Amino acid sequence: MTFDPELISLLRVPPKLVALTGAGVSQESGLRTFRDAQTGLWAQYKPEELASPEAFRRDPKLIWDWYAWRREAVKGVRPNPGHYALAEMAQRVPEFTLITQNVDGLHRMAGHQKLIELHGNIQRVRCADCYTFAEAWGDDTESVPRCSVCGGLLRPDVVWFGEALPRDQLEAAIEAARSCDVFFSIGTSGVVQPAASLAFAAHNRGAVVVEINAEPTPLTPKANYVFHGKSGEILPRLVEAVWG
Ligand code: BV8
Ligand code: ZN
């Protein structure tokens, strides 16, 4: 795989760089993407149906168990070379902002401290009523654990469909996208809003857009550089080509 010398020299400047990641960047770690059908008990549900306040109101235990299952799945995997390559880029590029839609925490595990978790993190649990974060909770309980402060139901600290994104995280993401020189879109189908509009905001401000994804997306026609393949293979090679 060769990289356009123009892209290489651009990244050596170093530019003000933003990277937005989605479920595809964790696929090579063994985690299913949102597009990939769910398995087992969960195969009968679409993620959008489960990841909603209505679903939690309707059947809190079902949704609690879904996230407990996903936490178990994450416990069984490790970051892949794509996560580590992005962590290395952060070492090499002073103005680097990583924005992720993933709630799996693998970027953090790969050593990425400064990142914007736009949709939250399933390793965090809080009260659905008073927002108090729970230090500890049982995952294999008969009923959904309750808040020690107000007795409300505990829920994962993630953004469900129809819920607003954390204002400070969203504003920081929009600001970074609007003021960057280079915007990487990695492993995301570009369907879920407002995350999917960030790359277009950067493009409209004249940023160079680089797409790394296993298949074309609505962003592909706008991207200056397109790499359709596995992020865990392409990112390490790019880092090697630029800073090797
Ligand atoms: C809100 C956390 C309003 C939970 C998630 C405008 C138009 C239309 C609809 C809307 C709109 N604005 C808002 C909406 C509604 C909705 C939305 O966007 N719906 C979609 C379905 C159309 N948005 C919302 O509801 C948002 N909230 O709007 O609130 C509001 C505002 C103010 C006040 C009150 C309310 C909230 C959205 C966040 C929802 N939560 N996750 C959880 O995870 O359980 S979204 C979740 O799904 C992920 O976080 C992620 O964002 C998304 C999945 O997308 P991807 O990550 O891209 O994954 P996907 O599987 O789709 O694609 C993977 C890609 O990787 C594929 O292209 C594949 O080819 C590629 N790939 C695979 N393997 C590899 C690879 N690429 C490289 N290498 C590989 N190895
Ligand atoms: Zn509470």
Side-chain angles (χ1 to χ4, degrees):
M1 168 170 280
T2 60
F3 298 98
D4 185 319
E6 262 192 46
L7 176 60
I8 302 267
S9 48
L10 177 60
L11 294 174
R12 283 185 180 147
V13 170
K16 199 165 182 216
L17 201 134
V18 169
L20 172 73
T21 64
V25 82
S26 294
Q27 188 269 334
E28 291 153 89
S29 294
L31 285 185
R32 317 187 70 74
T33 70
F34 256 62
R35 279 325 91 199
D36 294 339
Q38 302 208 98
T39 58
L41 159 63
W42 309 105
Q44 60 194 291
Y45 303 99
K46 288 214 318 291
E48 290 88 54
E49 286 158 2
L50 295 170
S52 73
E54 297 77 26
F56 187 67
R57 257 193 301 282
R58 238 189 341 267
D59 187 342
K61 185 71 168 70
L62 179 77
I63 306 309
W64 177 265
D65 291 346
W66 183 47
Y67 283 95
W69 176 72
R70 292 172 66 185
R71 272 192 289 273
E72 280 316 304
V74 170
K75 280 203 195 101
V77 301
R78 310 263 39 73
N80 66 64
H83 295 105
Y84 289 113
L86 287 166
E88 184 170 349
M89 282 170 94
Q91 301 302 322
R92 308 267 183 182
V93 178
E95 292 186 276
F96 180 93
T97 303
L98 178 67
I99 305 168
T100 189
Q101 299 168 78
N102 301 342
V103 296
D104 56 32
L106 291 181
H107 283 300
R108 251 181 224 296
M109 241 183 267
H112 229 112
Q113 293 320 322
K114 204 166 75 55
L115 80 161
I116 298 175
E117 292 177 314
L118 216 45
H119 296 162
N121 186 317
I122 58 176
Q123 309 298 353
R124 287 194 304 264
V125 162
R126 63 170 175 83
C127 174
D129 300 343
C130 74
Y131 241 90
T132 301
F133 283 86
E135 295 318 313
W137 62 88
D139 258 344
D140 50 2
T141 50
E142 273 321 296
S143 61
V144 176
R146 289 189 170 270
C147 168
S148 57
V149 174
C150 76
L153 291 174
L154 294 184
R155 58 162 284 174
D157 182 37
V158 298
V159 180
W160 282 333
F161 287 93
E163 290 186 326
L165 277 59
R167 178 188 299 278
D168 50 353
Q169 305 273 10
L170 180 57
E171 279 170 4
I174 291 170
E175 184 40 39
R178 287 186 172 157
S179 61
C180 69
D181 307 312
V182 180
F183 188 103
F184 276 80
S185 178
I186 306 166
T188 182
S189 59
V191 171
V192 170
Q193 298 291 351
S197 64
L198 293 170
F200 293 90
H203 171 76
N204 298 343
R205 293 293 180 93
V208 169
V209 173
V210 182
E211 179 175 70
I212 299 175
N213 204 62
E215 60 192 339
T217 74
L219 179 66
T220 306
K222 296 274 190 213
N224 304 85
Y225 299 96
V226 173
F227 302 97
H228 285 153
K230 291 183 174 298
S231 52
E233 296 165 6
I234 296 165
L235 285 167
R237 290 200 191 114
L238 180 62
V239 167
E240 180 57 28
V242 176
W243 294 285

mmCIF file of all heavy atoms in Angstrom, residues 77-109:
data_model
loop_
_atom_site.group_PDB
_atom_site.id
_atom_site.type_symbol
_atom_site.label_atom_id
_atom_site.label_comp_id
_atom_site.label_asym_id
_atom_site.label_seq_id
_atom_site.Cartn_x
_atom_site.Cartn_y
_atom_site.Cartn_z
ATOM 1 N N VAL A 77 -11.855 -8.472 24.993
ATOM 2 C CA VAL A 77 -11.068 -8.059 23.817
ATOM 3 C C VAL A 77 -10.010 -7.030 24.199
ATOM 4 O O VAL A 77 -10.019 -6.506 25.316
ATOM 5 C CB VAL A 77 -12.004 -7.481 22.717
ATOM 6 C CG1 VAL A 77 -13.046 -8.496 22.290
ATOM 7 C CG2 VAL A 77 -12.641 -6.168 23.183
ATOM 8 N N ARG A 78 -9.091 -6.744 23.273
ATOM 9 C CA ARG A 78 -8.013 -5.763 23.477
ATOM 10 C C ARG A 78 -8.021 -4.784 22.317
ATOM 11 O O ARG A 78 -8.519 -5.102 21.228
ATOM 12 C CB ARG A 78 -6.658 -6.465 23.525
ATOM 13 C CG ARG A 78 -6.634 -7.633 24.458
ATOM 14 C CD ARG A 78 -6.105 -7.452 25.813
ATOM 15 N NE ARG A 78 -6.191 -6.405 26.766
ATOM 16 C CZ ARG A 78 -7.242 -6.050 27.508
ATOM 17 N NH1 ARG A 78 -8.377 -6.577 27.256
ATOM 18 N NH2 ARG A 78 -7.196 -5.164 28.465
ATOM 19 N N PRO A 79 -7.443 -3.609 22.509
ATOM 20 C CA PRO A 79 -7.314 -2.688 21.382
ATOM 21 C C PRO A 79 -6.537 -3.371 20.256
ATOM 22 O O PRO A 79 -5.768 -4.288 20.497
ATOM 23 C CB PRO A 79 -6.519 -1.512 21.973
ATOM 24 C CG PRO A 79 -6.752 -1.580 23.430
ATOM 25 C CD PRO A 79 -6.904 -3.031 23.756
ATOM 26 N N ASN A 80 -6.764 -2.966 19.014
ATOM 27 C CA ASN A 80 -6.024 -3.535 17.881
ATOM 28 C C ASN A 80 -5.063 -2.500 17.316
ATOM 29 O O ASN A 80 -5.049 -1.340 17.756
ATOM 30 C CB ASN A 80 -7.029 -4.039 16.821
ATOM 31 C CG ASN A 80 -7.813 -2.902 16.182
ATOM 32 O OD1 ASN A 80 -7.246 -2.041 15.515
ATOM 33 N ND2 ASN A 80 -9.120 -2.878 16.418
ATOM 34 N N PRO A 81 -4.223 -2.891 16.317
ATOM 35 C CA PRO A 81 -3.187 -1.962 15.810
ATOM 36 C C PRO A 81 -3.756 -0.623 15.329
ATOM 37 O O PRO A 81 -3.065 0.389 15.364
ATOM 38 C CB PRO A 81 -2.576 -2.770 14.655
ATOM 39 C CG PRO A 81 -2.777 -4.195 15.046
ATOM 40 C CD PRO A 81 -4.109 -4.236 15.745
ATOM 41 N N GLY A 82 -5.049 -0.592 14.970
ATOM 42 C CA GLY A 82 -5.672 0.680 14.562
ATOM 43 C C GLY A 82 -5.766 1.636 15.731
ATOM 44 O O GLY A 82 -5.417 2.824 15.625
ATOM 45 N N HIS A 83 -6.181 1.126 16.892
ATOM 46 C CA HIS A 83 -6.259 1.962 18.101
ATOM 47 C C HIS A 83 -4.869 2.476 18.469
ATOM 48 O O HIS A 83 -4.680 3.650 18.798
ATOM 49 C CB HIS A 83 -6.821 1.163 19.281
ATOM 50 C CG HIS A 83 -8.247 0.709 19.145
ATOM 51 N ND1 HIS A 83 -8.573 -0.622 18.865
ATOM 52 C CD2 HIS A 83 -9.417 1.353 19.264
ATOM 53 C CE1 HIS A 83 -9.886 -0.745 18.825
ATOM 54 N NE2 HIS A 83 -10.432 0.439 19.062
ATOM 55 N N TYR A 84 -3.866 1.570 18.417
ATOM 56 C CA TYR A 84 -2.501 1.959 18.830
ATOM 57 C C TYR A 84 -1.891 2.959 17.851
ATOM 58 O O TYR A 84 -1.190 3.888 18.252
ATOM 59 C CB TYR A 84 -1.628 0.714 18.994
ATOM 60 C CG TYR A 84 -1.999 -0.126 20.202
ATOM 61 C CD1 TYR A 84 -2.535 -1.405 20.054
ATOM 62 C CD2 TYR A 84 -1.855 0.393 21.483
ATOM 63 C CE1 TYR A 84 -2.921 -2.154 21.155
ATOM 64 C CE2 TYR A 84 -2.233 -0.345 22.598
ATOM 65 C CZ TYR A 84 -2.773 -1.622 22.427
ATOM 66 O OH TYR A 84 -3.170 -2.338 23.534
ATOM 67 N N ALA A 85 -2.209 2.797 16.556
ATOM 68 C CA ALA A 85 -1.674 3.759 15.566
ATOM 69 C C ALA A 85 -2.228 5.160 15.842
ATOM 70 O O ALA A 85 -1.493 6.151 15.783
ATOM 71 C CB ALA A 85 -2.060 3.306 14.165
ATOM 72 N N LEU A 86 -3.501 5.251 16.224
ATOM 73 C CA LEU A 86 -4.093 6.558 16.534
ATOM 74 C C LEU A 86 -3.466 7.135 17.808
ATOM 75 O O LEU A 86 -3.198 8.335 17.891
ATOM 76 C CB LEU A 86 -5.614 6.421 16.683
ATOM 77 C CG LEU A 86 -6.383 6.218 15.390
ATOM 78 C CD1 LEU A 86 -7.813 5.765 15.673
ATOM 79 C CD2 LEU A 86 -6.395 7.510 14.560
ATOM 80 N N ALA A 87 -3.169 6.257 18.761
ATOM 81 C CA ALA A 87 -2.514 6.736 19.997
ATOM 82 C C ALA A 87 -1.118 7.264 19.660
ATOM 83 O O ALA A 87 -0.680 8.283 20.208
ATOM 84 C CB ALA A 87 -2.436 5.601 21.008
ATOM 85 N N GLU A 88 -0.451 6.606 18.710
ATOM 86 C CA GLU A 88 0.882 7.080 18.302
ATOM 87 C C GLU A 88 0.777 8.401 17.547
ATOM 88 O O GLU A 88 1.568 9.321 17.777
ATOM 89 C CB GLU A 88 1.599 6.044 17.430
ATOM 90 C CG GLU A 88 3.027 6.511 17.105
ATOM 91 C CD GLU A 88 3.896 5.467 16.457
ATOM 92 O OE1 GLU A 88 3.484 4.289 16.433
ATOM 93 O OE2 GLU A 88 4.976 5.864 15.970
ATOM 94 N N MET A 89 -0.254 8.548 16.704
ATOM 95 C CA MET A 89 -0.440 9.819 15.988
ATOM 96 C C MET A 89 -0.600 10.946 17.009
ATOM 97 O O MET A 89 -0.069 12.041 16.832
ATOM 98 C CB MET A 89 -1.675 9.741 15.079
ATOM 99 C CG MET A 89 -1.423 8.982 13.781
ATOM 100 S SD MET A 89 -2.971 8.674 12.918
ATOM 101 C CE MET A 89 -3.026 10.062 11.828
ATOM 102 N N ALA A 90 -1.295 10.653 18.108
ATOM 103 C CA ALA A 90 -1.513 11.684 19.137
ATOM 104 C C ALA A 90 -0.179 12.104 19.772
ATOM 105 O O ALA A 90 -0.022 13.261 20.161
ATOM 106 C CB ALA A 90 -2.457 11.153 20.207
ATOM 107 N N GLN A 91 0.780 11.167 19.800
ATOM 108 C CA GLN A 91 2.117 11.503 20.337
ATOM 109 C C GLN A 91 2.868 12.404 19.359
ATOM 110 O O GLN A 91 3.625 13.279 19.754
ATOM 111 C CB GLN A 91 2.933 10.211 20.542
ATOM 112 C CG GLN A 91 2.312 9.192 21.480
ATOM 113 C CD GLN A 91 2.065 9.771 22.859
ATOM 114 O OE1 GLN A 91 2.867 10.545 23.363
ATOM 115 N NE2 GLN A 91 0.905 9.436 23.403
ATOM 116 N N ARG A 92 2.634 12.195 18.087
ATOM 117 C CA ARG A 92 3.417 12.877 17.044
ATOM 118 C C ARG A 92 2.811 14.219 16.627
ATOM 119 O O ARG A 92 3.511 15.082 16.110
ATOM 120 C CB ARG A 92 3.450 12.000 15.788
ATOM 121 C CG ARG A 92 3.903 10.568 16.021
ATOM 122 C CD ARG A 92 5.353 10.447 15.795
ATOM 123 N NE ARG A 92 5.857 9.092 15.918
ATOM 124 C CZ ARG A 92 7.138 8.805 15.782
ATOM 125 N NH1 ARG A 92 7.995 9.792 15.522
ATOM 126 N NH2 ARG A 92 7.552 7.584 15.921
ATOM 127 N N VAL A 93 1.482 14.383 16.805
ATOM 128 C CA VAL A 93 0.781 15.582 16.321
ATOM 129 C C VAL A 93 0.253 16.372 17.521
ATOM 130 O O VAL A 93 -0.722 15.956 18.148
ATOM 131 C CB VAL A 93 -0.382 15.189 15.378
ATOM 132 C CG1 VAL A 93 -1.133 16.432 14.920
ATOM 133 C CG2 VAL A 93 0.131 14.386 14.188
ATOM 134 N N PRO A 94 0.890 17.489 17.856
ATOM 135 C CA PRO A 94 0.495 18.230 19.081
ATOM 136 C C PRO A 94 -0.999 18.561 19.100
ATOM 137 O O PRO A 94 -1.666 18.343 20.111
ATOM 138 C CB PRO A 94 1.346 19.503 18.996
ATOM 139 C CG PRO A 94 2.519 19.107 18.148
ATOM 140 C CD PRO A 94 1.996 18.112 17.154
ATOM 141 N N GLU A 95 -1.528 19.077 17.977
ATOM 142 C CA GLU A 95 -2.964 19.440 17.942
ATOM 143 C C GLU A 95 -3.750 18.306 17.311
ATOM 144 O O GLU A 95 -4.092 18.344 16.122
ATOM 145 C CB GLU A 95 -3.139 20.755 17.166
ATOM 146 C CG GLU A 95 -2.537 21.959 17.907
ATOM 147 C CD GLU A 95 -2.881 23.241 17.165
ATOM 148 O OE1 GLU A 95 -2.128 23.561 16.204
ATOM 149 O OE2 GLU A 95 -3.911 23.851 17.503
ATOM 150 N N PHE A 96 -4.020 17.275 18.103
ATOM 151 C CA PHE A 96 -4.744 16.084 17.633
ATOM 152 C C PHE A 96 -5.965 15.882 18.521
ATOM 153 O O PHE A 96 -5.836 15.786 19.740
ATOM 154 C CB PHE A 96 -3.840 14.854 17.717
ATOM 155 C CG PHE A 96 -4.494 13.581 17.250
ATOM 156 C CD1 PHE A 96 -4.365 13.153 15.945
ATOM 157 C CD2 PHE A 96 -5.246 12.792 18.117
ATOM 158 C CE1 PHE A 96 -4.968 11.983 15.506
ATOM 159 C CE2 PHE A 96 -5.844 11.618 17.683
ATOM 160 C CZ PHE A 96 -5.704 11.217 16.383
ATOM 161 N N THR A 97 -7.147 15.863 17.921
ATOM 162 C CA THR A 97 -8.383 15.612 18.686
ATOM 163 C C THR A 97 -9.017 14.317 18.201
ATOM 164 O O THR A 97 -9.326 14.196 17.017
ATOM 165 C CB THR A 97 -9.367 16.776 18.502
ATOM 166 O OG1 THR A 97 -8.738 17.988 18.907
ATOM 167 C CG2 THR A 97 -10.627 16.562 19.336
ATOM 168 N N LEU A 98 -9.166 13.361 19.105
ATOM 169 C CA LEU A 98 -9.836 12.108 18.754
ATOM 170 C C LEU A 98 -11.269 12.168 19.262
ATOM 171 O O LEU A 98 -11.508 12.405 20.441
ATOM 172 C CB LEU A 98 -9.132 10.900 19.377
ATOM 173 C CG LEU A 98 -9.804 9.545 19.100
ATOM 174 C CD1 LEU A 98 -9.718 9.180 17.620
ATOM 175 C CD2 LEU A 98 -9.199 8.450 19.961
ATOM 176 N N ILE A 99 -12.203 12.010 18.331
ATOM 177 C CA ILE A 99 -13.631 11.988 18.663
ATOM 178 C C ILE A 99 -14.131 10.583 18.351
ATOM 179 O O ILE A 99 -13.924 10.084 17.245
ATOM 180 C CB ILE A 99 -14.405 12.994 17.803
ATOM 181 C CG1 ILE A 99 -13.824 14.402 17.920
ATOM 182 C CG2 ILE A 99 -15.894 13.002 18.176
ATOM 183 C CD1 ILE A 99 -14.363 15.384 16.862
ATOM 184 N N THR A 100 -14.742 9.893 19.343
ATOM 185 C CA THR A 100 -15.246 8.549 19.044
ATOM 186 C C THR A 100 -16.729 8.429 19.340
ATOM 187 O O THR A 100 -17.222 9.054 20.274
ATOM 188 C CB THR A 100 -14.475 7.452 19.790
ATOM 189 O OG1 THR A 100 -14.895 6.184 19.272
ATOM 190 C CG2 THR A 100 -14.711 7.503 21.300
ATOM 191 N N GLN A 101 -17.388 7.641 18.518
ATOM 192 C CA GLN A 101 -18.789 7.283 18.748
ATOM 193 C C GLN A 101 -18.862 5.992 19.562
ATOM 194 O O GLN A 101 -19.915 5.587 20.007
ATOM 195 C CB GLN A 101 -19.494 7.074 17.397
ATOM 196 C CG GLN A 101 -19.520 8.286 16.501
ATOM 197 C CD GLN A 101 -19.954 7.934 15.078
ATOM 198 O OE1 GLN A 101 -21.139 7.748 14.816
ATOM 199 N NE2 GLN A 101 -18.984 7.762 14.199
ATOM 200 N N ASN A 102 -17.704 5.339 19.722
ATOM 201 C CA ASN A 102 -17.665 4.048 20.396
ATOM 202 C C ASN A 102 -17.772 4.206 21.910
ATOM 203 O O ASN A 102 -17.186 5.121 22.487
ATOM 204 C CB ASN A 102 -16.373 3.301 20.028
ATOM 205 C CG ASN A 102 -16.278 3.087 18.531
ATOM 206 O OD1 ASN A 102 -17.269 3.181 17.812
ATOM 207 N ND2 ASN A 102 -15.069 2.838 18.049
ATOM 208 N N VAL A 103 -18.527 3.314 22.505
ATOM 209 C CA VAL A 103 -18.708 3.329 23.963
ATOM 210 C C VAL A 103 -17.907 2.199 24.610
ATOM 211 O O VAL A 103 -18.079 1.910 25.784
ATOM 212 C CB VAL A 103 -20.209 3.194 24.307
ATOM 213 C CG1 VAL A 103 -20.994 4.393 23.798
ATOM 214 C CG2 VAL A 103 -20.793 1.881 23.780
ATOM 215 N N ASP A 104 -17.006 1.570 23.830
ATOM 216 C CA ASP A 104 -16.293 0.373 24.310
ATOM 217 C C ASP A 104 -15.044 0.691 25.136
ATOM 218 O O ASP A 104 -14.485 -0.188 25.778
ATOM 219 C CB ASP A 104 -15.919 -0.530 23.121
ATOM 220 C CG ASP A 104 -15.082 0.184 22.051
ATOM 221 O OD1 ASP A 104 -14.292 1.089 22.410
ATOM 222 O OD2 ASP A 104 -15.232 -0.154 20.855
ATOM 223 N N GLY A 105 -14.583 1.937 25.102
ATOM 224 C CA GLY A 105 -13.426 2.306 25.933
ATOM 225 C C GLY A 105 -12.088 1.804 25.401
ATOM 226 O O GLY A 105 -11.064 1.944 26.073
ATOM 227 N N LEU A 106 -12.051 1.227 24.170
ATOM 228 C CA LEU A 106 -10.791 0.658 23.671
ATOM 229 C C LEU A 106 -9.748 1.721 23.331
ATOM 230 O O LEU A 106 -8.553 1.474 23.467
ATOM 231 C CB LEU A 106 -11.061 -0.256 22.459
ATOM 232 C CG LEU A 106 -11.810 -1.561 22.773
ATOM 233 C CD1 LEU A 106 -11.994 -2.388 21.499
ATOM 234 C CD2 LEU A 106 -11.065 -2.383 23.833
ATOM 235 N N HIS A 107 -10.178 2.916 22.941
ATOM 236 C CA HIS A 107 -9.190 3.979 22.672
ATOM 237 C C HIS A 107 -8.446 4.319 23.960
ATOM 238 O O HIS A 107 -7.214 4.441 23.973
ATOM 239 C CB HIS A 107 -9.887 5.239 22.131
ATOM 240 C CG HIS A 107 -10.283 5.161 20.696
ATOM 241 N ND1 HIS A 107 -9.374 4.957 19.689
ATOM 242 C CD2 HIS A 107 -11.503 5.264 20.097
ATOM 243 C CE1 HIS A 107 -10.012 4.958 18.528
ATOM 244 N NE2 HIS A 107 -11.292 5.129 18.743
ATOM 245 N N ARG A 108 -9.187 4.404 25.058
ATOM 246 C CA ARG A 108 -8.551 4.707 26.352
ATOM 247 C C ARG A 108 -7.563 3.596 26.708
ATOM 248 O O ARG A 108 -6.428 3.843 27.093
ATOM 249 C CB ARG A 108 -9.646 4.758 27.439
ATOM 250 C CG ARG A 108 -9.936 6.127 27.965
ATOM 251 C CD ARG A 108 -11.012 6.083 29.062
ATOM 252 N NE ARG A 108 -11.981 7.151 28.885
ATOM 253 C CZ ARG A 108 -11.664 8.436 28.972
ATOM 254 N NH1 ARG A 108 -10.442 8.781 29.239
ATOM 255 N NH2 ARG A 108 -12.569 9.365 28.771
ATOM 256 N N MET A 109 -8.013 2.349 26.482
ATOM 257 C CA MET A 109 -7.172 1.197 26.808
ATOM 258 C C MET A 109 -5.889 1.211 25.979
ATOM 259 O O MET A 109 -4.869 0.698 26.375
ATOM 260 C CB MET A 109 -7.962 -0.086 26.508
ATOM 261 C CG MET A 109 -8.195 -0.991 27.696
ATOM 262 S SD MET A 109 -9.056 -2.474 27.177
ATOM 263 C CE MET A 109 -10.754 -1.991 27.473
#
